[in-house]
Amino acid sequence: MGSTHREGKTRVAFIKGAWRILMVVKNALVLLFLLLFFTLVYAGISAVRPAPGTSGGALHIALDGALVEQPASEDPFTLIDGSEADHDYALRDVVHAIDAATGDSAIKAIVIDLSRFSGAGQVAGQRMGAAMDKARRAGKQVLVYAPVYEDSGYQIAAHASEIWMSPLGFVALAGPGGSQLYYKGLIDRLGITTHIYRVGTYKSYVEPYFRTDQSPEAQEANQALASSLWSDWLAGVKRARPKAQAEGYAANPMIVSRDFKGDGAKAALDRGLVDHIGDNYAFADRVARIAGKDDDSQSGTYSAVTLEDYLRRHPTKASEGKVGVLTVAGDIVDGEAGPGTAGGDSIAALIDEALADDKIKALVVRVDSPGGSVTAGETIRQAVLRVRNAGMPVVISMGNVAASGGYWISTAGQRIYAEPATITGSIGVFGVLPSFEGTLAKIGVTSDGVSTTPLSGEPNVFGGVSPEFDALAQSSVEHVYRTFVGLVAKARNIPVASAERIAEGRVWDGGTARQLKLVDAFGGLDDAVAEAARRAKLTGGDARPRYLDPPLDPFQRIMASLSARTSVKAAPQATDWLSLQGRKRERAVVGALGQAKAMLAGSAMRADCLECRAFGGPATRVAAQKSATGWTWLTTWLLR
């Protein structure tokens, strides 16, 4: 009887404890919901009311993230938990703000803070640098500050009137290059069989799955590409800042430890890489002497308007002209996708809307993509062809990278513009399909069954892919490759044999691509817009661009506004050189493991370019999120 009574009391205590836990969880969720609700309300109100604060002084551009063609949508959960403070900045917006400030008498200086800059493609850096040069020629002071300058940051800083750096700062010029992971040893140990279907001597995207190192052909092509990009980078910095001894400094970084006892700031100053050494307060006092002090007149402050508020006062006139500009940015994927990723159906829908819009008389397709799904790329190409077939001029403008699937889409244009540092080509196709008969055999699992045709149950990922399926898959990839080469030959008006010689999956820099007739001319987006307007016989205001961006719903607009307003208040991160190197390696590991996941996810047949991802600019937040998923997948796989 006593035992029964004790058990009853125990059950009651357990129920009470569980109830208290549920109440705590419920209250926490209610508080979280209220916090999110009022945050969104505040962001919504802030998005529609006039921008507060000064309208003059200095234009303060703090690039706390990456500079990209098309920013990805903001993730509301990362805004709540603070796990991702950085966000993408649209190159178009930053350049527009600098151009507007150039002619704004209220703006006395342009200040660019690169303290938390995570990178930009070489073409994007050149475009921003050109805007800074224009501002300087108009008499504006352009000042740049950062504790550490790496390649992409210094490429931008070289165009400034004054380059400032922290007393504990460092200029780390590494040049393009580095290593990647090869998975063959792991794949063999786990007993996985990777069925590789590819065409192209240089189509090295799949090499990590069947080699332990890069092939001689891949090494030759990658070295040539890296060397060409580095030469272009050095030449650009030399033109922008003749006194900077960038080439010698990069070739012999040990001078910092040998001649300056590890004092990177003093070494940079001695080699003409920076103009001034000083902390944030010294830099702010210098800006205050040009642009005026802030209202509180304290040291370390100056009158300024942020990039976000300045853009609200001087918005991009996206619908003024008759030249439609559509961006294809990021991975090319099947179906629909948000900004920063090129969903085949989403992009095609935007193109069809442009075709139906009587206000649009010409189309410019801005391509900044290393490729992806073949079928999605073809969906976009067909949509572009519908525009051409309707008699509307179509011009292609290549950004940092327009390779593989990105070049597949580009073949639909009447004229292709690229920059010398654009990464393009990679005309090749591949497919990867794993099977797990070896893995299952290691734990004593086998498979068996029946069939009615040679393809019954294929691809048999448990018992092994049949020779018939292998042959069919390879022939299918070869057919798509021949189609790709044929598209290139027809679009570029060259013999198929010539197209085959420059194909083979080889990646080219923009300068070489022009010599090979893969592109028509050097030029940026403005040149492509001007060419499209000329072909459509547009003049005056009609010759201006009309940007065809993916529509954002109200929630996405609020998230974008909230992210812009909270980014400068994000949790501080260490910005010394060694900490930055550690975070860069972390991103590299996460990205490499994300490639392993690609073996099992996404489109099996791809026109994609691995080396383009390494050399083409910073990984976007979308790519980082996908790679993080890849980390989880591989970790779970290895620990089973």
Side-chain angles (χ1 to χ4, degrees):
M1 184 71 178
S3 175
T4 303
H5 179 69
R6 285 193 299 271
E7 289 176 0
K9 291 180 66 176
T10 302
R11 283 195 296 269
V12 171
F14 173 78
I15 293 172
K16 288 182 177 179
W19 179 255
R20 283 195 294 269
I21 292 173
L22 288 174
M23 289 299 98
V24 170
V25 172
K26 184 265 292 184
N27 291 336
L29 290 174
V30 169
L31 288 173
L32 181 61
F33 172 78
L34 290 174
L35 176 63
L36 176 60
F37 174 76
F38 286 113
T39 301
L40 293 179
V41 169
Y42 169 76
I45 295 173
S46 299
V48 297
R49 71 184 181 187
T54 179
S55 60
L59 169 60
H60 183 261
I61 302 175
L63 296 181
D64 297 339
L67 189 64
V68 300
E69 285 290 335
Q70 187 179 73
S73 299
E74 298 294 343
D75 183 348
F77 294 103
T78 58
L79 292 176
I80 294 171
D81 65 20
S83 61
E84 178 65 70
D86 293 352
H87 66 282
D88 299 336
Y89 292 82
L91 172 64
R92 180 209 315 167
D93 289 344
V94 175
V95 169
H96 170 73
I98 294 174
D99 286 344
T102 298
D104 188 346
S105 59
I107 298 297
K108 307 302 181 184
I110 298 172
V111 175
I112 301 172
D113 187 346
L114 299 177
S115 298
R116 299 182 67 244
F117 184 50
S118 60
Q122 203 157 309
V123 170
Q126 291 171 346
R127 180 67 188 90
M128 184 171 172
M132 294 164 64
D133 290 341
K134 180 180 176 182
R136 290 180 60 188
R137 288 194 298 270
K140 296 288 183 186
Q141 290 287 310
V142 182
L143 300 92
V144 178
Y145 182 88
V148 176
Y149 293 97
E150 296 187 300
D151 294 6
S152 58
Y154 193 79
Q155 180 190 23
I156 292 171
H159 296 268
S161 311
E162 297 180 17
I163 304 177
W164 283 68
M165 189 169 66
S166 161
L168 298 178
F170 201 94
V171 176
L173 305 182
S179 60
Q180 65 183 62
L181 295 181
Y182 288 79
Y183 308 105
K184 185 179 186 303
L186 173 63
I187 289 170
D188 290 346
R189 175 173 294 185
L190 295 173
I192 298 173
T193 303
T194 49
H195 304 269
I196 308 295
Y197 314 103
R198 67 168 182 162
V199 186
T201 302
Y202 299 95
K203 202 61 186 174
S204 59
Y205 191 105
V206 293
E207 286 190 354
Y209 303 122
F210 70 90
R211 291 183 60 95
T212 57
D213 59 1
Q214 60 183 334
S215 65
E217 295 83 5
Q219 186 176 38
E220 172 199 357
N222 292 340
Q223 185 62 59
L225 176 63
S227 298
S228 178
L229 293 175
W230 183 234
S231 295
D232 182 82
W233 187 95
L234 287 170
V237 168
K238 186 67 174 178
R239 287 192 300 270
R241 191 176 178 84
K243 67 180 181 180
Q245 302 174 36
E247 185 171 8
Y249 179 88
N252 187 20
M254 293 306 295
I255 62 171
V256 176
S257 59
R258 185 190 67 229
D259 299 342
F260 297 92
K261 309 302 182 186
D263 190 337
K266 186 179 292 185
L269 186 65
D270 180 80
R271 293 300 188 268
L273 297 172
V274 301
D275 298 299
H276 302 283
I277 304 299
D279 60 15
N280 285 313
Y281 285 90
F283 177 71
D285 287 342
R286 167 59 179 153
V287 178
R289 290 196 293 272
I290 302 172
K293 284 186 174 294
D294 199 0
D295 292 338
D296 60 16
S297 299
Q298 293 181 359
S299 176
T301 64
Y302 54 89
S303 177
V305 55
T306 66
L307 171 66
E308 292 76 18
D309 286 342
Y310 195 75
L311 286 172
R312 289 173 63 195
R313 292 193 178 100
H314 302 83
T316 303
K317 297 179 181 179
S319 60
E320 59 183 9
K322 294 186 177 181
V323 180
V325 178
L326 180 136
T327 301
V328 178
D331 287 351
I332 300 173
V333 300
D334 292 298
E336 298 182 350
T341 301
D345 293 345
S346 301
I347 299 294
L350 285 174
I351 295 173
D352 288 338
E353 289 175 10
L355 181 59
D357 189 343
D358 293 337
K359 297 177 182 178
I360 297 177
K361 304 301 181 184
L363 180 67
V364 172
V365 181
R366 177 69 167 179
V367 181
D368 192 25
S369 170
S373 166
V374 169
T375 53
E378 178 62 7
T379 297
I380 298 172
R381 189 186 75 88
Q382 288 293 340
V384 176
L385 286 179
R386 287 195 290 274
V387 175
R388 282 192 62 177
N389 292 338
M392 190 183 297
V394 177
V395 177
I396 304 296
S397 172
M398 292 181 170
N400 297 305
V401 55
S404 211
Y407 195 83
W408 182 295
I409 295 168
S410 300
T411 60
Q414 294 169 286
R415 188 169 178 82
I416 299 176
Y417 283 88
E419 302 284 4
T422 296
I423 300 170
T424 188
S426 190
I427 301 165
V429 183
F430 70 89
V432 182
L433 184 69
S435 62
F436 303 95
E437 63 273 20
T439 307
L440 296 174
K442 289 177 179 288
I443 58 175
V445 178
T446 57
S447 66
D448 199 2
V450 298
S451 63
T452 54
T453 74
L455 296 181
S456 293
E458 294 294 336
N460 187 351
V461 297
F462 302 121
V465 175
S466 70
E468 292 86 355
F469 181 89
D470 267 341
L472 186 62
Q474 180 63 34
S475 66
S476 178
V477 168
E478 291 173 359
H479 167 69
V480 175
Y481 175 73
R482 288 193 298 270
T483 301
F484 198 169
V485 172
L487 291 175
V488 173
K490 182 178 180 180
R492 308 310 302 158
N493 194 27
I494 58 177
V496 173
S498 298
E500 288 176 340
R501 283 194 295 272
I502 60 179
E504 294 281 342
R506 179 73 180 261
V507 184
W508 307 101
D509 62 274
T512 306
R514 186 183 180 189
Q515 296 174 9
L516 296 172
K517 298 184 178 180
L518 288 174
V519 302
D520 294 295
F522 290 148
L525 180 58
D526 292 341
D527 300 292
V529 169
E531 174 65 14
R534 184 190 68 79
R535 289 174 177 263
K537 297 181 173 57
L538 300 174
T539 59
D542 291 344
R544 291 195 290 263
R546 176 191 296 261
Y547 293 102
L548 310 175
D549 295 321
L552 295 178
D553 58 43
F555 181 76
Q556 289 174 318
R557 287 196 295 270
I558 290 175
M559 286 296 99
S561 174
L562 180 61
S563 174
R565 292 181 174 276
T566 58
S567 62
V568 295
K569 299 178 182 178
Q573 296 182 9
T575 53
D576 62 274
W577 174 70
L578 201 56
S579 295
L580 289 175
Q581 301 311 302
R583 287 204 294 276
K584 186 163 66 174
R585 291 307 98 195
E586 289 174 8
R587 290 194 295 268
V589 170
V590 172
L593 292 173
Q595 295 166 19
K597 179 178 179 288
M599 184 171 60
L600 292 175
S603 176
M605 188 179 296
R606 303 177 66 84
D608 211 330
C609 179
L610 179 62
E611 49 271 55
C612 301
R613 297 170 185 274
F615 299 142
T620 65
R621 289 181 295 108
V622 169
Q625 291 163 8
K626 291 179 179 178
S627 297
T629 305
W631 175 285
T632 303
W633 169 83
L634 190 60
T635 303
T636 304
W637 184 24
L638 292 174
L639 294 178
R640 282 176 179 170

